[in-house]
Amino acid sequence: MREVITMWKYTRMVVLVALTAALYAAVLIPFKLLPLIPGITELRPANVLPVICSLMFGPAAAWGSAFGNLIGDLLGGTSGLGSYFGMLGNFWYGYFPYRAWRTLSSSDPIPWSAGRLARYFIVSLLASLACAVQISWGLDMLGFVPFHILGPLIGLNNFVTASLLGPLLLPILYPRIKRWGLLYTDVMETEDLWGGRLPYLAHLFLWGAVLGGLILGIVISLGVTESQTFTLNLPGGAHWSLSLSDIPRWGTSVGTSLMPLIGLLVVGALLL
Amino acid sequence: MFLYLPYNTFLHRLHPATKLIGLILLLVVTVAFTTPAEQLPGLGFVLGLAVLSRSLSNLRRILPLVVTIMLFSSTTWSLFRRVGVPFWSFGPLSLSRESIQYGLAMGIRLDAMLLSGMVFVSCTKVEEFAFGLRALGLPFPVSFALSLAFRLVPLFFTRIGIVVQAQQSRGLDLQTGHLLQRARKYVPLLVPIFIYAIRDTDLLAMALESKGFGMRGTRTEYLRFPFGWRDAAIIAALLAADVIAWSGR
């Protein structure tokens, strides 16, 4: 994660942060008129930008997505305490694609082949779910919208947009950006780029955090933990049952229960 | 485009860092309460600030959004929050007196936060916002990138308009079809819009470096905002309100 700090000494990276943020906000704001949840989220075709910018501009896109979302909220009249969770969620949304891509492939992220397209979908899904879990956890904790409504909606909104538009835009934009020498690997010195510590363990942590967070968040938010029991019939007539209320949790709310998984997400991001 | 209203009110004259800290402290107070009776004074206080900062015209602009948010938030929380003895239930949905009260409180909380943010942007310029962030310790390049992004948004809107007009002059029809069909026609425009936005990166970076961006040492500021006793008093009062609200939970 070191390069999200070291990038600030490169003027071109600072400019790329501003350009990504402004572009993201400029495409987000007009679509505030098509809300999915009023004041919280809307139809967002702009959601493709953090993913494709991440694969090209690296850490600049992570900051750009975070700032762009904040600016979109401030200028679109939907700012509040939730905007800070939106900022954090969008930071992950712009951070994970390029980091995860580097551990999955050494080739350029142009989804020409089936293998690269599959990898593109994997990194988009990871980033989309991380963003969804982070924002929904925060907004449920603040009492804005229940997790089970917001979580799947943000995850789906992000992933569908990035999956549909990304493979169309990247093959056109990536070669041009590469020719202009604006890829983050060209702008930044090698010693300022972070190779990652235990990246495969980080993937395990991240997928555990986002999938576990999403499922547990929905289950708790729907209030089914108190009543549901799973029973497994074992050979010899024995059976083993698990009540969802037996699952160790820090508390009864989404906010406290998901905290360990949010911690795991941060640890995964640090190790990736 | 920008929501700033150029008046010279008490709130406009506050130090930018006071406005930023004050906004966060105000938002934190609203999180402490979970009943409509507790939330309403907070909403009233925010409306009072709107009157004081003469930003009611901006609040009127988002009134339909405020009402919709209130209805949506109140309904969803009332139906999904499981507190008290339900008098109606259907699957995961239920309604009780306590859940309705909670739903209403959450609707008021969300509106209070939204209106607080609107009051803030109505009385704070972009350069004041960046100055406030720097005063709170944010490194210069970060606050600069944020303020530059703010300034570029209207420019990008203009550029998007130019690209759309250029494509329309070549025969692109954006007027016919239903909403989704029209939205789909905008997708190919993302490529020229993106290229248009990014191609100036090098020029902008060179212009900044030629003006000393990235130089080390203490920076001097053209803008100056004195931090007065009023700023200290406001922060102290809001901090006290936070402590009282959270200790009384």
Side-chain angles (χ1 to χ4, degrees):
Chain A
M1 219 177 173
R2 193 177 62 206
E3 73 259 11
V4 296
I5 307 296
T6 56
M7 59 139 277
W8 288 107
K9 68 182 182 191
Y10 297 91
T11 309
R12 282 203 293 177
M13 291 300 274
V14 174
V15 171
L16 284 172
V17 170
L19 291 173
T20 309
L23 190 61
Y24 191 31
V27 186
L28 275 180
I29 292 168
F31 286 91
K32 295 261 175 199
L33 299 171
L34 299 172
L36 295 175
I37 297 178
I40 303 291
T41 193
E42 54 283 320
L43 197 68
R44 292 165 70 116
N47 278 357
V48 68
L49 292 172
V51 177
I52 62 168
C53 287
S54 173
L55 293 169
M56 295 186 285
F57 309 137
W63 289 108
S65 310
F67 292 167
N69 190 71
L70 180 70
I71 293 169
D73 279 359
L74 284 168
L75 297 183
T78 53
S79 62
L81 213 50
S83 301
Y84 302 103
F85 286 107
M87 205 174 152
L88 188 57
N90 275 275
F91 180 85
W92 295 136
Y93 192 44
Y95 175 73
F96 286 128
Y98 86 92
R99 295 290 330 180
W101 182 273
R102 276 192 353 193
T103 58
L104 295 177
S105 173
S106 55
S107 54
D108 284 344
I110 307 172
W112 285 126
S113 65
R116 282 196 226 173
L117 190 63
R119 283 187 204 111
Y120 174 81
F121 288 147
I122 290 170
V123 298
S124 303
L125 184 64
L126 177 67
S128 302
L129 293 182
C131 175
V133 169
Q134 182 71 67
I135 296 176
S136 312
W137 171 71
L139 297 202
D140 186 290
M141 200 162 54
L142 290 174
F144 286 2
V145 186
F147 186 99
H148 68 273
I149 295 178
L150 195 58
L153 195 64
I154 294 178
L156 210 64
N157 200 1
N158 285 355
F159 182 62
V160 169
T161 315
S163 303
L164 287 178
L165 301 182
L168 299 174
L169 295 175
L170 261 178
I172 303 169
L173 297 173
Y174 191 89
R176 195 174 292 229
I177 298 296
K178 190 175 183 178
R179 212 165 45 242
W180 287 349
L182 290 175
L183 296 179
Y184 72 100
T185 44
D186 295 336
V187 176
M188 294 176 73
E189 300 287 342
T190 318
E191 64 262 25
D192 286 327
L193 292 170
W194 170 240
R197 186 175 289 158
L198 305 171
Y200 295 102
L201 183 68
H203 266 275
L204 204 66
F205 281 5
L206 289 172
W207 282 104
V210 297
L211 292 176
L214 193 67
I215 293 165
L216 193 63
I218 292 171
V219 165
I220 297 167
S221 179
L222 278 170
V224 295
T225 48
E226 287 81 18
S227 55
Q228 298 291 311
T229 303
F230 292 112
T231 305
L232 185 68
N233 292 317
L234 301 170
H239 68 272
W240 174 80
S241 63
L242 172 73
S243 168
L244 280 177
S245 57
D246 294 338
I247 297 173
R249 288 190 274 129
W250 284 24
T252 51
S253 67
V254 170
T256 49
S257 302
L258 257 59
M259 247 175 219
L261 292 170
I262 297 292
L264 194 65
L265 182 78
V266 176
V267 172
L270 290 170
L271 294 175
L272 190 63
Chain B
M1 168 76 227
F2 287 107
L3 297 161
Y4 177 74
L5 298 169
Y7 297 119
N8 187 25
T9 69
F10 171 71
L11 280 180
H12 282 75
R13 288 193 298 272
L14 286 176
H15 191 280
T18 307
K19 292 184 204 174
L20 275 168
I21 297 170
L23 175 67
I24 292 169
L25 291 175
L26 190 60
L27 295 177
V28 170
V29 174
T30 61
V31 182
F33 303 122
T34 52
T35 65
E38 291 168 337
Q39 287 286 357
L40 275 172
L43 184 64
F45 180 71
V46 174
L47 287 172
L49 290 179
V51 173
L52 194 66
S53 62
R54 299 175 65 186
S55 50
L56 283 175
S57 58
N58 271 348
L59 262 52
R60 267 195 292 273
R61 286 168 66 173
I62 58 161
L63 193 62
L65 180 70
V66 169
V67 175
T68 319
I69 287 170
M70 175 75 176
L71 289 173
F72 182 85
S73 189
S74 302
T75 311
T76 48
W77 279 110
S78 300
L79 288 170
F80 287 107
R81 178 82 174 173
R82 294 195 170 193
V83 283
V85 182
F87 59 80
W88 175 86
S89 64
F90 179 75
L93 310 177
S94 65
L95 276 177
S96 67
R97 191 168 168 268
E98 288 83 356
S99 73
I100 292 172
Q101 274 193 344
Y102 184 83
L104 277 173
M106 293 307 105
I108 298 169
R109 177 193 288 181
L110 196 47
D111 276 352
M113 285 193 178
L114 210 69
L115 298 180
S116 313
M118 188 52 90
V119 171
F120 174 78
V121 292
S122 300
C123 63
T124 312
K125 290 181 195 167
V126 175
E127 52 266 39
E128 289 176 358
F129 181 58
F131 185 94
L133 291 173
R134 279 200 296 282
L136 293 175
L138 199 71
F140 176 75
V142 185
S143 68
F144 176 80
L146 191 56
S147 64
L148 180 62
F150 261 109
R151 294 188 181 290
L152 286 172
V153 174
L155 181 71
F156 282 3
F157 270 128
T158 313
R159 286 183 172 185
I160 290 170
I162 291 169
V163 170
V164 169
Q165 282 174 2
Q167 296 299 325
Q168 281 179 321
S169 71
R170 293 180 179 91
L172 178 70
D173 178 16
L174 294 168
Q175 309 301 325
T176 55
H178 58 71
L179 195 65
L180 270 178
Q181 282 174 333
R182 273 188 284 168
R184 207 167 54 191
K185 288 176 188 168
Y186 275 93
V187 173
L189 297 178
L190 278 174
V191 174
I193 288 168
F194 191 91
I195 297 291
Y196 219 157
I198 300 298
R199 71 176 182 182
D200 292 340
T201 305
D202 274 333
L203 276 178
L204 197 49
M206 281 191 278
L208 286 172
E209 281 174 353
S210 70
K211 291 177 176 68
F213 185 87
M215 296 285 285
R216 293 179 183 226
T218 313
R219 299 191 71 89
T220 52
E221 297 272 1
Y222 178 71
L223 292 171
R224 281 173 195 275
F225 299 94
F227 189 89
W229 65 269
R230 285 188 187 89
D231 297 290
I234 285 170
I235 291 173
L238 284 169
L239 203 59
D242 272 325
V243 172
I244 292 166
W246 281 91
S247 58
R249 266 167 70 98

